[in-house]
Amino acid sequence: MSKTGTDRPAAVLVAVQLATVADVDHEADMAELGRLVNTLGYDVVATVSQRRSHVSKGAVLGEGKLRVLAELTGGPGPAGMRFKKPGQKRDDEDEHDEAPESAPGDDEDMDEGAGVVPAAKAPTLVVVDHDLSPSQLRNLEKCTGIEVLDRSGVIIEIFHRHARSREARLEVEIARLNYVAPRMRESSGGGDRQRGRGAGESQLELDRRKIRDRIAELRKEIDGIQREQATRRALRQNARRVALVGYTNAGKSSLMRALTGSDVYVMDKLFATLDTTVRALYPEIKPRILVSDTVGFIKKLPHDLVASFRSTLDEALEASLLLYVADASDPTFRSQLDVTRSTLSEIGAEGVPYRLVLNKVDRIAEEDRTILQREFPEAILLSAKDAEDVARLRQILIDFFDALMVSGELVVPYAKQALVSEVYEHAKVLSETYDEAGAHLVLRAEPAALARLQSLLER
């Protein structure tokens, strides 16, 4: 549960419900946006939502709802929005500013409880559940008199705060720079032309060029890190690997901790962890099964972040088995599963074998569990908090990999006895006997592992 109180700043949520969006989906989107804002450290004190056929190009909402929003924030409202003269264009805009539109029923659609916020909880942030153009962002700030962020901006800021590894921090910085660059504004004196080297460029153009150069430097550094990671992954290439994938806050980290006995970071927040963690299944078996926890997915994830975290999601692409983890207690988990599948398809992992894990069943009634089991007969229903459920899942993983094994025999000469430990590391040895030729091992192993062990003996 998020911390609330007067010590936390307040925020107002803004959204347009388009005709193609059902009420339940709109409510789920707003609830998710509220959790994102809470993760960012704000209390949501009001929501301004409007049904419209389209998002206003000028300031998202119609004129009536803009007045409601301005009343909440103490801003000047549409009157505070200054629009350019016909034909005028600034260096920092990607489209023409447009006046707010009036839509039928603007005032009738006003949300209940959207009154004036008490002074002790006056909002300092407006968060919009849509991607904003630079002009929309500027107009809303003029209307409300406070800072405005869109959904992508909130997600990027959360990623920035939670990134821990060097690679994750670099990836997030690239996403932030790509987000900030088109939204940069010319300062009051920034229109002056530069003298000397770089003559003819405005300060804004110079700043944007610096951003492009910085992004190029970051990508070069990331390439070096990814080469090191590729080497580490190559060392794990013959390992049996399971990747936990799914929507953010579905309980992947809790399940990871339960399966591996590790101390991975667990918190009831969106994007509590961004870095891939790899641990061995516990209690450990031979050959080992490695479990990795990947970054969570979310609707409307900024494209730059999907691209930036491709290396993190490579763990899913290279896994032998994916566990699609979903929060069974969330009524929208079906659409969240669609997000998971589409994101995995985007990175080419749709062909990897998978099992569906419906987590947090301890939060739903018994009759609802029965309904889910009928709807998803192949799914594994469990609670990461239930030791018996976790043990059952562990055995399912072991059985999956055991089914891939084939029988084989190896003779390890006495001159190569050091390879015996290698065999035990990558195969299940059923018997071991000795004669004048060396060690005779009867075993079961996956075909690739058995072929590799045979090639080592033939060298």
Side-chain angles (χ1 to χ4, degrees), residues 226-403:
Q226 289 178 346
R227 283 194 294 271
E228 294 175 4
Q229 287 184 336
T231 301
R232 287 196 295 270
R233 281 197 293 266
L235 295 175
R236 301 198 306 260
Q237 189 172 8
N238 297 306
R240 305 189 291 178
R241 297 160 66 180
V242 178
L244 306 180
V245 297
Y247 212 72
T248 184
N249 213 34
K252 298 188 303 302
S253 294
S254 295
L255 193 56
M256 173 81 169
R257 170 179 273 184
L259 284 171
T260 65
S262 62
D263 56 352
V264 295
Y265 185 71
V266 177
M267 195 168 186
D268 188 18
K269 282 187 176 181
L270 303 187
F271 302 116
T273 180
L274 302 179
D275 304 301
T276 298
T277 304
V278 182
R279 298 286 187 274
L281 189 68
Y282 181 84
E284 196 168 308
I285 62 171
K286 295 293 184 178
R288 294 193 307 170
I289 296 175
L290 299 181
V291 184
S292 60
D293 180 17
T294 61
V295 63
F297 306 140
I298 195 168
K299 293 177 185 175
K300 307 175 190 175
L301 183 66
H303 179 74
D304 283 335
L305 287 179
V306 174
S308 294
F309 279 83
R310 187 184 181 106
S311 59
T312 301
L313 297 176
D314 277 348
E315 289 290 340
L317 188 60
E318 297 171 3
S320 307
L321 176 67
L322 299 180
L323 293 184
Y324 288 10
V325 184
D327 179 357
S329 66
D330 189 325
T332 64
F333 82 84
R334 293 166 184 82
S335 64
Q336 294 175 1
L337 273 174
D338 291 338
V339 172
T340 298
R341 292 189 180 103
S342 64
T343 306
L344 290 171
S345 177
E346 186 173 337
I347 67 168
E350 70 275 15
V352 179
Y354 74 91
R355 294 295 303 271
L356 173 60
V357 176
L358 297 180
N359 191 23
K360 305 185 184 182
V361 295
D362 53 309
R363 298 184 180 182
I364 61 177
E366 188 64 38
E367 56 267 27
D368 292 329
R369 296 189 198 185
T370 304
I371 293 172
L372 284 177
Q373 195 68 78
R374 284 201 211 102
E375 184 180 356
F376 303 98
E378 301 300 321
I380 304 165
L381 275 63
L382 58 75
S383 167
K385 298 179 180 179
D386 189 314
E388 291 185 3
D389 284 353
V390 174
R392 178 165 51 89
L393 176 60
R394 178 181 180 276
Q395 190 58 49
I396 288 172
L397 297 180
I398 293 172
D399 292 344
F400 170 84
F401 285 104
D402 283 354

Side-chain angles (χ1 to χ4, degrees), residues 186 190-195 197-207 209 212:
E186 195 74 76
D192 298 338
R193 296 292 175 181
Q194 308 297 303
R195 291 186 172 84
R197 189 173 183 178
E201 289 184 301
S202 69
Q203 184 60 49
L204 179 62
E205 290 166 341
L206 283 172
D207 290 341
R209 183 154 59 85
R212 290 194 297 271

Side-chain angles (χ1 to χ4, degrees), residues 57-78:
K57 292 182 180 179
V60 180
L61 300 170
E63 189 172 351
K65 275 295 174 14
L66 285 176
R67 292 195 184 97
V68 173
L69 180 60
E71 182 183 2
L72 287 165
T73 64

Side-chain angles (χ1 to χ4, degrees), residues 95-107:
E95 62 179 86
H96 294 298
D97 288 351
E98 298 185 15
E101 307 162 2
S102 294
D106 270 0
D107 295 326

Side-chain angles (χ1 to χ4, degrees), residues 31-262:
E32 183 173 272
L33 184 63
R35 292 197 297 273
L36 285 168
V37 172
N38 276 319
T39 300
L40 197 59
Y42 288 80
D43 288 333
V44 176
V45 296
T47 298
V48 177
S49 180
Q50 182 179 32
R51 289 185 177 88
R52 289 177 62 90
S53 60
H54 64 283
V55 175
S56 168
K57 292 182 180 179
V60 180
L61 300 170
E63 189 172 351
K65 275 295 174 14
L66 285 176
R67 292 195 184 97
V68 173
L69 180 60
E71 182 183 2
L72 287 165
T73 64
M81 297 161 59
R82 297 289 182 263
F83 301 99
K84 63 180 182 57
K85 297 176 182 178
Q88 180 185 2
K89 192 175 189 302
R90 291 185 295 273
D91 289 338
D92 61 333
E93 65 182 351
D94 62 343
E95 62 179 86
H96 294 298
D97 288 351
E98 298 185 15
E101 307 162 2
S102 294
D106 270 0
D107 295 326
E108 296 175 5
D109 286 341
M110 186 170 66
D111 298 297
E112 293 182 9
V116 178
V117 179
K121 269 296 200 182
T124 57
L125 178 68
V126 171
V127 179
V128 183
D129 193 36
H130 309 277
D131 285 335
L132 299 177
S133 69
S135 60
Q136 288 173 321
L137 181 67
R138 181 169 49 248
N139 287 338
L140 282 172
E141 287 184 343
K142 290 175 179 177
C143 174
T144 61
I146 60 176
E147 182 184 3
V148 177
L149 282 177
D150 60 13
R151 185 187 182 95
S152 292
V154 171
I155 294 174
I156 288 173
E157 181 59 30
I158 291 172
F159 272 51
H160 172 66
R161 295 183 184 184
H162 290 185
R164 290 179 175 83
S165 72
R166 177 61 180 162
E167 183 187 15
R169 290 196 297 268
L170 294 174
E171 299 281 18
V172 172
E173 186 175 352
I174 289 176
R176 289 186 84 193
L177 291 173
N178 282 327
Y179 177 81
V180 167
R183 293 165 175 80
M184 292 176 64
R185 306 174 187 180
E186 195 74 76
S187 62
S188 57
D192 298 338
R193 296 292 175 181
Q194 308 297 303
R195 291 186 172 84
R197 189 173 183 178
E201 289 184 301
S202 69
Q203 184 60 49
L204 179 62
E205 290 166 341
L206 283 172
D207 290 341
R208 285 178 173 166
R209 183 154 59 85
K210 288 178 182 177
I211 285 180
R212 290 194 297 271
D213 292 344
R214 176 59 178 157
I215 289 175
E217 291 175 4
L218 293 171
R219 292 198 187 283
K220 185 175 181 180
E221 189 172 349
I222 287 174
D223 287 343
I225 294 175
Q226 289 178 346
R227 283 194 294 271
E228 294 175 4
Q229 287 184 336
T231 301
R232 287 196 295 270
R233 281 197 293 266
L235 295 175
R236 301 198 306 260
Q237 189 172 8
N238 297 306
R240 305 189 291 178
R241 297 160 66 180
V242 178
L244 306 180
V245 297
Y247 212 72
T248 184
N249 213 34
K252 298 188 303 302
S253 294
S254 295
L255 193 56
M256 173 81 169
R257 170 179 273 184
L259 284 171
T260 65
S262 62

